[in-house]
Amino acid sequence: MKMIIGGAFQGKAAFAEKKYPEIEWVNGADADWNSIQNAKGVVNFHEFIRAEMKKNEDVSDLAEKLIQCNPGVLLVSDEVGYGVVPMDAFDRAYREAVGRICTKLAACSDEVTRVVCGIGTVIKHD
């Protein structure tokens, strides 16, 4: 598993598509679980988490399920834990869920790259 993370609008998707041109990307914003578990690469993975939570799906074991069924996937996700803590309860829960899921996935990833201003820096490489 590999991850590309960073803030919103930092060029993560463009970086990923340039570095891995052979991958057919799934957009997490409109993906279902079946497409995620079979994808080679997922952009907007954080949006998949949001959509699942909006459907009242339990995402507490999402990282473990993804590690089991698709350990070779490349995930591109926003880091949503920076800045002002949202007042809305759903937004706080979403922010925490993304952080917890991505932390677990990063621990199991072979490589994690942070992208800032379109520049990728490898922060983990096994």
Side-chain angles (χ1 to χ4, degrees):
M1 182 174 294
K2 293 182 182 179
M3 294 184 73
I4 297 174
I5 59 169
F9 309 108
Q10 291 296 311
K12 296 175 301 296
F15 175 86
E17 290 166 3
K18 184 176 179 183
K19 186 169 181 178
Y20 302 98
E22 72 283 1
I23 290 181
E24 186 174 324
W25 297 93
V26 170
N27 188 342
D30 49 50
D32 60 8
W33 173 244
N34 188 50
S35 61
I36 295 289
Q37 67 183 351
N38 293 303
K40 298 292 183 201
V42 180
V43 294
N44 297 317
F45 180 66
H46 60 286
E47 291 294 340
F48 173 74
I49 297 169
R50 176 186 289 278
E52 291 296 290
M53 291 179 70
K54 285 281 188 184
K55 294 187 291 188
N56 290 318
E57 295 291 334
D58 180 14
V59 296
S60 61
D61 63 347
L62 178 62
E64 292 84 359
K65 287 172 32 179
L66 190 55
I67 291 163
Q68 285 293 319
C69 70
N70 195 352
V73 69
L74 173 56
L75 302 171
V76 180
S77 180
D78 279 6
E79 293 177 285
V80 298
Y82 294 115
V84 177
V85 177
M87 290 181 57
D88 181 73
F90 175 83
D91 288 339
R92 285 193 308 273
Y94 160 69
R95 175 177 154 139
E96 181 175 344
V98 170
R100 291 186 185 279
I101 290 166
C102 286
T103 297
K104 289 175 188 174
L105 293 170
C108 292
S109 292
D110 299 324
E111 184 175 287
V112 179
T113 303
R114 175 174 280 134
V115 175
V116 178
C117 296
I119 300 168
T121 303
V122 176
I123 59 173
K124 178 185 179 186
H125 185 60
D126 285 345

